[in-house]
Every structure is written in structure tokens, then in C-alpha cells.
Amino acid sequence: MPKRSAGCFECRKRKVRCDETKPECNTCVRRGTKCPGYRPAQSFILHQFDNETERPQLIREDEERYRYAYQPPQTATSTLPSRNNSYGTLVVQQEQTMAEPQVPKQVSPIAVDRIQHLGTFIRLYLPRADGPALPPPSALMLALPTMPANSSVLLAAIDALSAAQLAVNDRDRALVNRSRSMYGMALTQMLKAIQDPVLALKDETLLSTYMLTLYEVFVGVTQGHGFFYHVQGLLHLVRQRGPESFKSRLSLQLFHAIRYNTLSIGYHMRRASSLDTPEWLAVTARAAKTDPYVALNDICICIPRLLERTDKLANPDCPPSEIDAVISDSQALANRAFEWLSDFEKYGPRYDKVPIASMEGFLDHVCAEIVFDPVFDFKYFGAGICYMIYWMSMLILQGNTFRLLRAHRALEPKQLFTWGRQLAGFADHICMSIPFHSRPQTGYTAKFGSLTPLVVARKFYENAPGMAAKAKWCADVYTVARVPGLYQEAPVELEPFKQVESTVKGNKRFI
């Protein structure tokens, strides 16, 4: 068998003798062409089998697959005359040097575990569905892998929350206890950070505190105390930073997430939020023009102040003009919400009505009783969140207005029927959206995000005649969503802030 030529690809193609100088042969250099390089020392020979004889036949090797396979290192050039140059001219040659192999950096096993746990947390927490952009509180979690790894408080919060997510998903009580230990270490790091005047103003500290707030949602055995006090701490940090500090994308996502948490507490406590003032509403004015989620929360954040003003009407010294003002402001805010819904459904409702049996795993693992059928199948995750916040907020706002009208106005039977039907419709719509948010595809952000609307709907059913079955359905779904038996043997209370109300009532220190 003849010896295979070791010349470069260009010389072999032109069928001329190659001097085999490396990295570039002098034949190509003299011709002024780029030498494409040489065949690797060990190459692969391809065969194909004849269909008749089943004997292998040699295929001519494809030289293009090896073209430019040899990449010479970039080194300084020398102007030494070549020995093979018969014309006596100077030929530029490159000195062949061996590149030193790069030693990979050693990665701590703790860092590897943290990355894996964080990836699992994001996969389980966020929805796994196509659609428009996620709401800001959910999209905030996507920024965690890009955060700097030099923040000890952020790393501790990530460890605690990731462990809590895994414990809830795997129903692992031992891991819950381990996550509590991590939570304690994260609290220690957080206290050190907020006492530092520089670290307290950083996004990493604010994000860490928010993540510890989420931990209370996952492992909430303090009857709402932990969640409430974390939100209070977030509000103090936000006020310390001021409205002008929320300019970047991450800081704005944090602001939206914190504002929704204050909204949930404001609904339960009937206390106004400090983020409903004009200077704080200016922070979200630009985003509200394009994001329906932000525009809706700009409306909803004003509802707790109306609830607080309503409670003050019980004072005997309250003038009648204040009653008229509260009713007028409530109706004006409701009209803004109706306009938002009209714009949101400009091209039709963003959901379809489907049988509840089509919702994967709801009847088998959440609640077997068919109380609401059909249910809503939203076209994407963000639409379901916006609808649920809207129906919950309107049930609270219109329910408060209805009680004011009944107490201070003379309503006709037809008006009473219309108001009752409207409020029942809001509560039913909340419950009809629960199966969609209880699916594994929507993640734990939807599952835990539906708890507050579920509590609001249950309160309405308990006070409405003939709604006992629906109230029981809400209680059963809430209990299953809180993973009974994982945190403690006692059943989970449906009033998460009942014990906190006595502490907050009449105390101006809380915001």
C-alpha cells in the first residue's frame, strides 16, 4: 500500500510537492496563498457496506472536515531567511510554540450544590408555560443566577429558600427542619446587612429580605407573624432608600413585588400602605403605561386606605361629609378598575371555560368535590394572575362600598339584588381560577399566590346565605395548598393574620 502524503491540503489538491514546513509550508508562502494546514496525525477512515456482498468499501475521506483543524498559536513573527527559499528573499515564518494548558479553577462543592438547588427552585417555583412576559414578582426570580456571589446575606437567603422549596415539593419534614436552620443563619446575615448604612441601601439586601419573606410563605408556621414583620422591614428599607433609588430593572421588579406584599397585608389588616402616595406612584408611572399588571396594582394599592377610612366612620364624631367622600372615592376607584378591565379585554377575554376534569391532578390531589364547573383556562400565566388580583380587589372594594350604602343609603330591592349578584360573581370567578393555578405547570408561585384570594372568597361565602358548600370548598383547597402535616400536626389556620391584628390595631409604629 503506497504511503499516504503528509503534505498540506492545498499542495495535495494542486498535486504538487509540499516541503511539509509547519505551521505553513513554503510552497504556499511563495505562491502568496494561505496554507490551510495539515491532516491530523490520526484520522478516521469511513466505510460503507455493499448491499449485495455486505463487504466494506473504503470511502474517500472528506478533506473539508479537517480543514483548518490545525490552529497555530498566535506568536510574534521573525524575519529569518528560509533555508528552502531558492530565490534568496526573506520569508516571514512563525515560531511554533506550545500553548500552556489552562488549569481550571476549583469550584467549591458548596457552590455546586447551591447552583443545583437554585436551578431546582426556579424550575419548581416559576410556571413552565409559554406566553408573554412574567409578572414582575415572578420575573424577579430569573435574576437570581446573575446576581454577584460575594453577598453573604443573599447566598444565605438563597440556601434557605431553595431548601424550603425542595422540602415542600418532596414532602420532606427533615429537610424542613434543615431549612429552618438555614433560615436562622440568613436572618443573622440580614441583621448585619441592614445595620450597615452602605449595605442597607443595596439591591442585594432588599432582595434577600424579600426572599426571606417568601420563606415564610413556604414554611409559614408563625401564623403570619414572620411574613408581616418581614414586609414591615421591607417597607422601612424602601423608605430609607427613597423613590429616586428605584431606576434599574432589578430594583423596579423588587418594588413591584414588595408593593404586592403590602397590598395583601393591607387587605387583611384594613390599613393603608405607605406606597400609595403620589411620590411612590410616580415610580411605576412609566411601567403602568405598558404593563397591565403594574397598572392594576396602581389602582389596588389605593383600596386599603379606603378600608381604613371606612373603619374610622364608626367614630360618633365623624361628620356626614366624610361618609359621602368615602363612598364617592370608592365609586371613582371602582370605575378606574372597570376601565382597566375594559382595556385588558380589548380583544376579548383572555381565558376559556373548560371542564374541571381537564385540569391535571386537581380532582385527584387537591379537591375531589365538583363545586365549580366549568372553570377558567387562562391563555397564559400572567393573565391568570391579573384576573385573580382584579377579582379579589373588586370583591373587597365593592363589598366595602355595599356595606356603606346599606348603612347610610336607602337601597331598593333591585339594587340589593344587583349588588349581591355582582359580589357573588367576583367570588365565583376567584374560585373558578384556582384549578388553573393549582396545576404543576404553573409552579408554586401561582399555588401560593392564590391563597390570599381564596381566603377573601371564603370570607364572603361564610357571610352569604346558602354558600356553605362553597365556603367548605375554599377551606379544603386552602388546607391542601399549605401541605398539611408537613410543618406541624395541627391543621393550618385559615386566618393567617388573626393574631397579628391585635398587635397592629391602634399602633402607629406599623406602616
Side-chain angles (χ1 to χ4, degrees):
M1 184 174 181
K3 182 180 179 181
R4 297 175 60 189
S5 173
C8 71
F9 289 116
E10 183 66 20
C11 293
R12 293 178 59 199
K13 181 179 180 181
R14 297 179 60 247
K15 296 183 179 180
V16 297
R17 183 178 296 277
C18 180
D19 61 359
E20 300 180 8
T21 302
K22 296 181 180 180
E24 295 181 351
C25 71
N26 290 325
T27 305
C28 293
V29 172
R30 286 195 298 267
R31 294 186 67 252
T33 60
K34 179 177 177 60
C35 183
Y38 298 84
R39 183 195 306 268
Q42 294 182 355
S43 60
F44 296 95
I45 300 178
L46 305 179
H47 296 80
Q48 69 178 2
F49 289 87
D50 190 357
N51 295 331
E52 297 180 358
T53 61
E54 295 185 356
R55 297 179 61 182
Q57 297 179 355
L58 178 64
I59 302 177
R60 184 178 180 181
E61 292 180 321
D62 185 9
E63 296 180 355
E64 294 295 332
R65 65 184 298 193
Y66 302 112
R67 183 175 291 274
Y68 304 114
Y70 177 79
Q71 297 291 340
Q74 300 293 334
T75 58
T77 59
S78 62
T79 57
L80 297 177
S82 173
R83 295 180 180 178
N84 297 329
N85 184 7
S86 59
Y87 296 94
T89 58
L90 294 179
V91 179
V92 178
Q93 295 182 350
Q94 292 183 345
E95 298 178 357
Q96 182 177 359
T97 59
M98 298 297 296
E100 297 183 359
Q102 295 183 356
V103 180
K105 296 181 179 180
Q106 295 183 356
V107 182
S108 170
I110 299 178
V112 174
D113 293 341
R114 180 179 291 119
I115 294 173
Q116 293 177 348
H117 293 166
L118 178 59
T120 304
F121 163 72
I122 294 176
R123 179 179 60 85
L124 295 175
Y125 184 74
L126 295 181
R128 301 185 295 274
D130 296 332
L134 293 172
S138 301
L140 177 62
M141 297 296 107
L142 296 176
L144 290 178
T146 63
M147 298 298 295
N150 57 356
S151 176
S152 57
V153 59
L154 181 59
L155 296 180
I158 289 176
D159 292 342
L161 187 58
S162 300
Q165 171 70 92
L166 292 174
V168 171
N169 187 72
D170 298 338
R171 306 297 194 268
D172 191 343
R173 180 175 294 184
L175 188 55
V176 169
N177 296 331
R178 174 58 180 163
S179 70
R180 289 176 179 173
S181 176
M182 297 179 179
Y183 176 69
M185 293 186 290
L187 285 178
T188 303
Q189 296 292 338
M190 184 193 68
L191 292 176
K192 293 180 180 179
I194 62 178
Q195 292 174 359
D196 190 314
V198 177
L199 294 179
L201 302 179
K202 288 190 174 183
D203 291 341
E204 291 83 357
T205 304
L206 196 62
L207 177 58
S208 304
T209 310
Y210 174 74
M211 294 183 67
L212 295 182
T213 306
L214 288 182
Y215 180 89
E216 289 291 340
V217 177
F218 277 91
V219 191
V221 295
T222 57
Q223 300 300 329
H225 283 84
F227 179 82
F228 174 78
Y229 288 116
H230 276 309
V231 174
Q232 290 294 310
L234 286 170
L235 287 175
H236 282 289
L237 291 176
V238 168
R239 294 179 63 182
Q240 185 178 357
R241 291 176 49 148
E244 298 298 329
S245 64
F246 295 93
K247 298 295 184 181
S248 64
R249 181 179 181 181
L250 176 63
S251 61
L252 285 175
Q253 289 176 343
L254 272 169
F255 182 80
H256 297 317
I258 295 171
R259 188 171 66 164
Y260 180 72
N261 286 344
T262 62
L263 179 65
S264 301
I265 291 182
Y267 285 163
H268 285 290
M269 301 293 181
R270 299 177 67 88
R271 291 284 299 271
S273 172
S274 61
L275 301 181
D276 64 348
T277 56
E279 59 269 16
W280 289 109
L281 290 175
V283 175
T284 60
R286 182 177 179 181
K289 297 179 181 179
T290 57
D291 193 338
Y293 176 88
V294 179
L296 176 61
N297 279 270
D298 282 351
I299 300 173
C300 297
I301 197 65
C302 302
I303 297 178
R305 186 169 297 276
L306 289 173
L307 302 179
E308 184 177 354
R309 291 172 59 187
T310 302
D311 294 341
K312 293 180 180 179
L313 297 179
N315 189 350
D317 299 333
C318 180
S321 59
E322 179 63 20
I323 299 176
D324 297 337
V326 173
I327 294 176
S328 177
D329 293 343
S330 300
Q331 293 175 344
L333 192 61
N335 291 333
R336 288 180 55 191
F338 289 140
E339 292 177 0
W340 175 90
L341 181 64
S342 178
D343 294 337
F344 190 63
E345 294 184 342
K346 184 177 181 180
Y347 301 102
R350 304 190 184 188
Y351 58 83
D352 298 320
K353 291 185 178 181
V354 298
I356 192 173
S358 63
M359 291 296 168
E360 178 185 356
F362 185 81
L363 295 178
D364 297 332
H365 305 291
V366 180
C367 185
E369 297 183 6
I370 302 179
V371 179
F372 299 94
D373 194 22
V375 295
F376 294 138
D377 183 16
F378 299 99
K379 297 182 179 180
Y380 55 93
F381 171 75
I385 293 297
C386 288
Y387 273 115
M388 183 172 290
I389 296 176
Y390 170 79
W391 291 324
M392 173 186 65
S393 302
M394 291 303 292
L395 179 58
I396 295 174
L397 176 61
Q398 294 295 78
N400 185 73
T401 306
F402 178 54
R403 285 189 292 270
L404 285 175
L405 292 175
R406 290 187 62 181
H408 304 282
R409 298 288 188 272
L411 298 179
E412 298 179 357
K414 184 178 180 179
Q415 293 176 318
L416 294 174
F417 174 79
T418 303
W419 276 97
R421 184 177 180 180
Q422 184 189 62
L423 297 178
F426 291 141
D428 291 345
H429 282 61
I430 291 174
C431 296
M432 292 170 67
S433 63
I434 295 298
F436 174 86
H437 293 94
S438 300
R439 301 180 308 164
Q441 293 88 342
T442 53
Y444 281 85
T445 180
K447 185 177 183 180
F448 289 147
S450 60
L451 295 180
T452 299
L454 199 60
V455 171
V456 174
R458 172 181 166 270
K459 287 184 177 180
F460 170 79
Y461 289 137
E462 287 181 342
N463 298 323
M467 300 290 183
K470 294 183 178 180
K472 181 180 180 301
W473 185 89
C474 293
D476 294 341
V477 174
Y478 183 93
T479 303
V480 174
R482 296 297 299 127
V483 194
L486 179 61
Y487 314 113
Q488 55 187 5
E489 297 298 335
V492 180
E493 294 289 339
L494 296 180
E495 299 291 342
F497 299 104
K498 187 174 182 179
Q499 298 181 6
V500 186
E501 290 180 359
S502 58
T503 306
V504 179
K505 188 175 182 180
N507 194 332
K508 297 182 179 180
R509 184 170 64 90
F510 298 100
I511 56 177

